[in-house]
Amino acid sequence: MNLLDIVIQHIEALLMGEIPQFISHDGSDEIRVVELAEKVNKLITAVSEIHNFVLPLSKGELQDIKISRMNLMGSPFKELHSKLLNLTWQAGQIADGDYSQRIDFMGEFSRSFNSMVEALDLKDRSLKAKIDELESKNRLIDMELDIARTIQNNLIPASMPEFPGVELCSIYKPMDQVGGDLFDFITFHEENKIGIFISDVSGHGVPAALITSMVKTLCTTAGEARNSSSGFLQFINNGLVGLSGDNFLTAFYGIYDSFSQVFSYSRCGHCFPLLLREGGIWEIKSSGTIMGIMNDIQIEEREIKLEKGDKIIFYTDGLTEASDSRKIQFEEIMVQKVIPEISHLPVADLLERLYKSMFDFAGGIPPDDDVCIVGMEIV
Amino acid sequence: MKNDGERKSSLPAGSMGDITIGRPNLGPDVPVLIYRLMQYTLRTSLDNEFGVEKADKILYNAGKMAGVQFCSSRIEQGLEFNDFISTLQREMKDNKIAIFRVEQQDSENKCFVVTMAEDLDCSGLPILNETVCVYDEGFLAGIMSCYTGRDFEAREVDCWATGERVCRFEVKASDESA
């Protein structure tokens, strides 16, 4: 095959999108054909360089690609490369929140890109406005909840009642601003009697707090019903039925008579209080179902004779169900280890240590339920 | 022509004149070709007088002074970087200096790759196989120096006159100012 045929073959290969080998010649051919072959070799170099530039460019690889300076066929690709590098930078700026970025002089693409950035800017502004509005509403809700907390704090006894021969104390920690736990001390005409009430509404927050307010109202309007532990709980139960939505209530109520030292009590689905006597721990058990669901439930009434030095710990399940990082609950360690170690302490100190132990057990993380503990000691 | 002393029209001290009064009929614009006529005749005179290296240095320094002047008079001081770039782009476009774009940004090392397309100095020139935008180099260095308050230098790595269709510059803080 003569040199001219080879040259034609190479040009055809280039036209087919191939990158042929350089044409070699020994200089024996006609000088114009040799010149043509050398020009085609330069063309092969230029096309090869452009090919090697455009291929990664088409895959979005913008770094470390180059076309040599005097390859003028590649200039439009170099311009495209430059614009893509700039677009990459601009996209990064937009990702960082700079919506002032605009593209000029790139025709239809400029219009589309700029429209996109404007739309993003608009959406971002709209979102920020919504967030501001929500934050504002949230602040209002927080303020209202603070007021609700103040009101609810007034439902809880501000101080412990003075009752001869009995030391009383309490710890009350709602999980939210307002909570569903409640305790109260019920007074009687007879100075030798005092009632201790503790309850827990299912759920937390505002709905639970509203029911708690109802319970408090029922406590203060119980009248003669307070003389009987089961009668008192029944009164509250019947008062709540139909008003508590899907929520229910657990509660314990006990009446201590300092003359007879008898503690009569009833319980409706609530945690058993713990009697601490001479180093031992006993659950104060009785039967009764949860309250607020149906009228006139079965409530057992029991009594126990207390002795000097006896302590009773009344609590809600926020105490015993506090869990550590392994999801193990506090109840077992509380009964088996914590209380035996502190049962000799005065009841107020005992409660403080008990709450701190629970808090430490939970790794210093506030409990995810309301916690209410009431202590009573016969002195 | 005379004057061995200090010029009264030196740039930083004097105003550029009130063009609305001075050119009420012709207005503020001049064709690019006239700008280039001045730029390249001046360049050639400097080349002839001082040699290419010295001439380039003079043009670079002149561009840098212009950059500082441009930045201080046209761009609000104390802008965040993104706002600064946006303003610079807009000012360059509105004043028909060039289409300015950022390709790469290394804020930590104070190093940038920027391009100036359709610039005044070289766009459309024949291929000369050498970069020619030494005045623009100084101009960009002056702008960045003015904005950051530290000395910057700029080097043109690609130019229309070397076969590119855009002029590309590496702009970075001078080692001395780091």
Side-chain angles (χ1 to χ4, degrees):
Chain A
M1 192 182 287
N2 67 32
L3 185 58
L4 189 57
D5 288 336
I6 295 170
V7 168
I8 290 168
Q9 197 179 51
H10 276 63
I11 290 172
E12 280 174 347
L14 282 171
L15 289 171
M16 293 300 291
E18 296 166 13
I19 309 292
Q21 296 291 314
F22 289 125
I23 302 166
S24 59
H25 57 85
D26 55 12
S28 61
D29 297 283
E30 190 193 337
I31 187 148
R32 297 292 290 168
V33 178
V34 169
E35 237 177 78
L36 179 63
E38 284 171 356
K39 293 281 184 200
V40 170
N41 279 346
K42 282 188 179 174
L43 184 63
I44 291 170
T45 303
V47 171
S48 169
E49 206 177 40
I50 292 168
H51 183 263
N52 292 334
F53 183 85
V54 170
L55 213 59
L57 189 68
S58 68
K59 295 174 187 167
E61 296 166 14
L62 303 182
Q63 306 301 327
D64 305 322
I65 54 173
K66 197 162 176 62
I67 293 177
S68 61
R69 275 189 173 176
M70 292 308 290
N71 185 347
L72 303 186
M73 284 173 65
S75 293
F77 298 109
K78 286 194 275 188
E79 191 177 7
L80 173 65
H81 179 229
S82 170
K83 286 179 176 171
L84 287 173
L85 281 172
N86 172 246
L87 280 176
T88 305
W89 179 81
Q90 284 193 301
Q93 299 300 103
I94 291 164
D96 288 342
D98 176 13
Y99 296 116
S100 67
Q101 294 294 327
R102 295 290 183 275
I103 291 176
D104 288 325
F105 311 118
M106 286 180 71
E108 183 62 33
F109 183 82
S110 290
R111 281 189 290 280
S112 301
F113 186 92
N114 293 343
S115 297
M116 180 193 76
V117 178
E118 281 162 20
L120 278 175
D121 191 14
L122 202 65
K123 280 188 182 167
D124 194 52
R125 282 171 201 270
S126 166
L127 268 178
K128 281 178 179 157
K130 287 262 186 233
I131 289 169
D132 285 348
E133 187 186 333
L134 285 173
E135 281 178 346
S136 171
K137 283 183 177 169
N138 207 33
R139 276 194 295 276
L140 191 64
I141 290 170
D142 277 345
M143 280 168 60
E144 288 174 351
L145 282 172
D146 278 344
I147 295 167
R149 177 171 55 186
T150 306
I151 293 168
Q152 194 179 41
N153 281 343
N154 293 333
L155 303 182
I156 305 296
S159 60
M160 295 301 106
E162 292 290 330
F163 190 81
V166 176
E167 194 71 42
L168 293 161
C169 56
S170 69
I171 289 178
Y172 180 76
K173 304 277 184 190
M175 164 193 166
D176 301 314
Q177 280 108 319
V178 290
D181 286 5
L182 178 71
F183 73 94
D184 204 358
F185 299 106
I186 312 297
T187 54
F188 294 83
H189 297 303
E190 305 98 310
E191 290 183 350
N192 58 313
K193 282 186 178 178
I194 185 166
I196 297 167
F197 174 78
I198 185 167
S199 66
D200 183 359
V201 178
S202 61
H204 315 282
V206 174
L210 286 172
I211 296 170
T212 302
S213 300
M214 287 193 273
V215 174
K216 173 70 178 183
T217 306
L218 290 166
C219 283
T220 55
T221 55
E224 292 304 312
R226 65 195 162 157
N227 290 310
S228 150
S229 59
S230 61
F232 184 80
L233 293 183
Q234 193 69 269
F235 175 79
I236 292 172
N237 173 68
N238 292 347
L240 279 181
V241 171
L243 299 177
S244 58
D246 294 333
N247 295 74
F248 60 87
L249 181 79
T250 69
F252 179 96
Y253 176 58
I255 306 162
Y256 177 66
D257 183 336
S258 61
F259 286 172
S260 63
Q261 290 194 301
V262 170
F263 184 64
S264 55
Y265 59 92
S266 294
R267 164 194 161 272
C268 287
H270 199 77
C271 315
F272 298 123
L274 299 175
L275 170 65
L276 315 185
R277 176 180 287 173
E278 296 174 348
I281 303 172
W282 288 268
E283 288 179 331
I284 299 180
K285 292 187 174 180
S286 68
S287 63
T289 59
I290 55 174
M291 303 158 71
I293 307 296
M294 54 192 291
N295 282 308
D296 300 323
I297 53 177
Q298 289 289 320
I299 305 173
E300 185 186 9
E301 189 165 325
R302 286 191 182 186
E303 59 181 40
I304 180 174
K305 188 164 171 56
L306 297 180
E307 300 168 3
K308 188 177 178 186
D310 283 351
K311 295 167 193 145
I312 302 178
I313 311 296
F314 311 90
Y315 57 91
T316 55
D317 59 8
L319 174 72
T320 48
E321 291 178 2
S323 55
D324 66 6
S325 58
R326 298 164 298 167
K327 303 290 176 199
I328 294 172
Q329 295 192 341
F330 182 58
E331 182 168 21
E332 193 175 328
I333 194 168
M334 175 183 88
V335 174
Q336 292 183 357
K337 187 167 186 293
V338 176
I339 290 181
E341 285 176 1
I342 60 176
S343 61
H344 63 283
L345 293 173
V347 70
D349 296 343
L350 189 153
L351 250 59
E352 291 291 336
R353 288 278 296 274
L354 181 59
Y355 182 77
K356 184 177 183 308
S357 296
M358 180 217 71
F359 197 76
D360 293 344
F361 176 81
I365 299 166
D368 56 3
D369 194 1
D370 307 325
V371 177
C372 176
I373 319 170
V374 178
M376 168 186 181
E377 180 175 3
I378 309 300
V379 293
Chain B
M1 183 171 72
K2 73 170 213 60
N3 206 335
D4 297 329
E6 199 173 300
R7 276 187 196 276
K8 288 183 180 170
S9 58
S10 62
L11 179 64
S15 107
M16 301 296 283
D18 188 338
I19 294 167
T20 56
I21 295 173
R23 290 170 61 98
N25 299 305
L26 295 179
D29 298 330
V30 176
V32 175
L33 287 177
I34 301 303
Y35 165 83
R36 285 188 183 173
L37 183 64
M38 189 189 77
Q39 156 97 242
Y40 285 97
T41 51
L42 184 63
R43 177 197 290 264
T44 305
S45 297
L46 290 170
D47 286 348
N48 293 340
E49 190 74 24
F50 302 111
V52 171
E53 192 177 333
K54 183 76 174 169
D56 278 353
K57 193 171 178 186
I58 291 170
L59 283 168
Y60 182 94
N61 287 338
K64 196 164 184 178
M65 286 169 68
V68 170
Q69 182 76 8
F70 179 80
C71 182
S72 61
S73 63
R74 297 280 182 165
I75 299 176
E76 186 187 336
Q77 301 297 298
L79 290 177
E80 291 292 321
F81 182 75
N82 289 341
D83 295 333
F84 163 72
I85 292 293
S86 298
T87 309
L88 181 57
Q89 279 177 323
R90 191 183 61 247
E91 286 293 331
M92 284 216 190
K93 186 177 74 173
D94 291 350
N95 289 287
K96 301 190 189 308
I97 295 169
I99 300 166
F100 177 80
R101 294 187 177 110
V102 178
E103 283 189 354
Q104 287 173 46
Q105 173 187 345
D106 180 353
S107 300
E108 194 175 330
N109 296 310
K110 302 281 183 290
C111 182
F112 308 91
V113 177
V114 302
T115 59
M116 289 172 73
E118 300 186 26
D119 74 311
L120 282 170
D121 285 7
C122 74
S123 52
L125 281 187
I127 306 303
L128 304 170
N129 203 19
E130 64 177 17
T131 58
V132 297
C133 301
V134 65
Y135 186 84
D136 281 345
E137 288 178 337
F139 188 65
L140 289 170
I143 289 170
M144 287 304 293
S145 300
C146 177
Y147 169 65
T148 60
R150 60 190 293 185
D151 193 36
F152 267 72
E153 56 192 39
R155 187 172 66 89
E156 188 180 32
V157 291
D158 289 313
C159 179
W160 186 288
T162 63
E164 311 299 318
R165 293 170 70 92
V166 65
C167 294
R168 182 177 284 111
F169 300 85
E170 287 176 359
V171 188
K172 60 181 180 180
S174 307
D175 293 338
E176 293 78 20
S177 73

